[in-house]
Amino acid sequence: MGLLDRAGARLTSHPEEAEILIINTCSFIDTAKQESVDTILEMVRHKTAGTAKKLIVAGCLVERYGDEIRKSIPEVDAVVGTGELEAILEAAGLAPAPAIASTSPFNILTASGPAEVRPGQESQGGTHKGKTPDARPEGDLREQQGRFRRNDWQGATHLLPTYLYDETTPRFLTTPKSSAYIKIAEGCDHPCSFCVIPNLRGKFRSRRFESVVAEARQLVARGTEEITLIGQDTTCYGEDLGLRDGLPLLLDALAGIEGLRWLRFLYAYPNRISNRLLETVAKHNNICKYLDVPLQHASPDVLKRMKRGGGADIFLRTLEKVRAAVPGIALRTSFIVGFPGESLRDFEILVEFVNEARFDWLGVFSYSDEEGSGAFSLDAKVPRRTIEARKRRLMKLQKSISKRAKLQWVGRELTLLAEGESDETPLLWEGRTQFHAPEIDGKVYINDFGSLESLEPGRFYKAEITEAHEYDIVARIL
Ligand code: SF4
């Protein structure tokens, strides 16, 4: 979006107004693929009936089914994979804007220039073929050590993506001005057997330390007060650059940026939660006391088949360590139910674990059998009805755990980031505390503005929690 914006495109979220329709797709599980395909077909209707002249499909679905999309949906004019972001300009028929030598945020052209286009497809978008703009020897070391493997994959139509943005890549923020995500690394070298993300996103590669810090400074200078660090595994940050304690070092540097009020990272890998990391979270006031650690399961047998390792006992010890190091920390996790071979006993181990662990936030995913994943060839697939029943049971348990935990928040005074009027009713506003990551956790409804006439979205207020529901809480502004 940043590249398009700088090349002169005017962005709109209303497809009926657009001349060029771009769909950024996801394809890591069945429901995501379905949603992507449904959206492409919806945009095909816009193109046929409306003003749009071009239809471009971008993102992970292209990594997986790029050729099929071209063949079966002729209305699609170009496909752009995850590793060829610059090719979006050519696909859209726009010339790249010239590089501007300036230290001002987001207005410097990427050093690597436009991606190479496959011969004979000059007007059809680009490909990774022959172009590795950000290839680095450090990343290859992990593959030599056997850390990364791309399984045989029928769907792979592209070479592995190697793209990595940096602080000079133009960005167009779609989040409110006060909040921004920063991707600190791309790709993944973990071998989790249910997951095709490494196939879609490539080998793990960290952005340069200075690049992340520079981008964060630019964002804060433009009014961002909350930064959320993301990557497929943020706790591996810097390993491929030969950096020890990369994430704690990065957090230390970012926490020192004046004006940054909330800093958090998502997607920690359980065995990468080091004492140093926890000490860093504990020592900085502006690092949110919040940890998102997707555990995926608690039965050691299932985790072994998932190629992740660990189990309920180890995880409980980890959580104890986390809570001791960072008192009051909010914990989020997610699990997959119905992994091939998950027995009733395995599931009961998971239920007992959830009961004991008392997560503040928890997501449960139904296992999705993905071609190209290691688990695709495993026997003993769990019937869909059993999977859904297990999911319901786990969510019901979490509901009661969450309600009890939220009741303990009543009466507490917390800092609240006001986000705006509630979608449900204009009588309420919504906000978040440091214990709520953007978009994924429960809501904080604000029903009393105290002495204020109105609130300002993106501003921080002191508030008191007055009510608790199963996942959501209610607050009044102090
Ligand atoms: S760590 Fe996450 S992204 Fe990487 S393979 Fe495992 S589940 Fe997939």
Side-chain angles (χ1 to χ4, degrees), residues 186-467:
E186 181 59 274
C188 184
D189 293 349
H190 289 294
C192 307
S193 61
F194 52 83
C195 182
V196 296
I197 287 175
N199 290 356
L200 300 168
R201 291 274 162 181
K203 289 185 232 172
F204 180 79
R205 48 207 191 275
S206 304
R207 284 181 55 193
R208 304 278 176 200
F209 193 93
E210 299 75 15
S211 169
V212 179
V213 176
E215 186 185 6
R217 285 190 191 286
Q218 290 164 1
L219 286 164
V220 173
R222 282 163 58 116
T224 297
E225 292 182 274
E226 176 187 32
I227 287 178
T228 303
L229 306 180
I230 52 169
Q232 268 77 43
D233 172 3
T234 48
T235 43
C236 264
Y237 174 76
E239 276 186 17
D240 55 321
L241 301 173
L243 204 59
R244 261 179 83 97
D245 291 319
L247 184 60
L249 288 170
L250 185 66
L251 290 170
D252 267 333
L254 298 177
I257 298 175
E258 207 172 318
L260 180 59
R261 291 183 68 142
W262 283 353
L263 171 64
R264 73 177 86 229
F265 56 94
L266 301 181
Y267 321 131
Y269 200 81
N271 67 7
R272 293 288 199 305
I273 301 170
S274 65
N275 292 338
R276 174 84 192 264
L277 179 62
L278 295 173
E279 283 160 19
T280 308
V281 172
K283 89 174 169 213
H284 293 286
N285 283 336
N286 59 352
I287 298 187
C288 296
K289 308 307 172 228
Y290 180 97
L291 182 69
D292 168 43
V293 51
L295 295 173
Q296 313 299 5
H297 214 280
S299 155
D301 288 344
V302 174
L303 284 161
K304 198 169 166 198
R305 285 199 304 281
M306 285 179 164
K307 290 202 165 41
R308 286 180 62 91
D313 292 347
I314 298 171
F315 292 162
L316 284 171
R317 282 202 296 276
T318 305
L319 297 180
E320 206 177 309
K321 180 176 88 171
V322 171
R323 285 176 166 136
V326 191
I329 193 167
L331 293 170
R332 175 175 190 88
T333 195
S334 54
F335 295 112
I336 295 172
V337 288
F339 185 81
E342 182 194 64
S343 64
L344 185 56
R345 178 67 201 130
D346 291 320
F347 179 66
E348 293 297 347
I349 292 173
L350 177 57
V351 170
E352 277 167 40
F353 172 71
V354 168
N355 226 341
E356 278 189 65
R358 293 172 291 106
F359 289 99
D360 297 274
W361 311 113
L362 184 149
V364 184
F365 290 89
S366 306
Y367 171 74
S368 178
D369 205 23
E370 293 303 317
E371 186 193 348
S373 71
F376 191 67
S377 56
L378 292 181
D379 295 333
K381 297 274 156 62
V382 179
R384 188 57 37 197
R385 280 182 61 179
T386 309
I387 293 179
E388 295 312 318
R390 288 178 182 176
K391 182 177 175 179
R392 280 196 300 276
R393 188 167 152 211
L394 209 54
M395 286 314 294
K396 195 170 165 205
L397 168 64
Q398 177 60 19
K399 212 180 212 184
S400 61
I401 294 171
S402 175
K403 173 92 195 254
R404 259 181 283 142
K406 302 296 170 296
L407 276 171
Q408 293 184 359
W409 292 26
V410 174
R412 283 177 72 179
E413 289 182 13
L414 297 167
T415 300
L416 201 68
L417 170 63
E419 292 191 302
E421 269 180 15
S422 167
D423 291 340
E424 283 153 44
T425 161
L427 299 174
L428 295 175
W429 269 53
E430 286 177 17
R432 284 187 292 111
T433 71
Q434 63 165 316
F435 308 118
H436 296 77
E439 298 174 284
I440 42 173
D441 297 323
K443 292 185 172 173
V444 185
Y445 291 109
I446 308 162
N447 64 355
D448 182 345
F449 295 177
S451 59
L452 299 173
E453 281 281 300
S454 66
L455 304 181
E456 223 180 281
R459 272 200 61 177
F460 290 78
Y461 297 90
K462 276 264 163 266
E464 182 193 352
I465 309 303
T466 53
E467 282 174 49

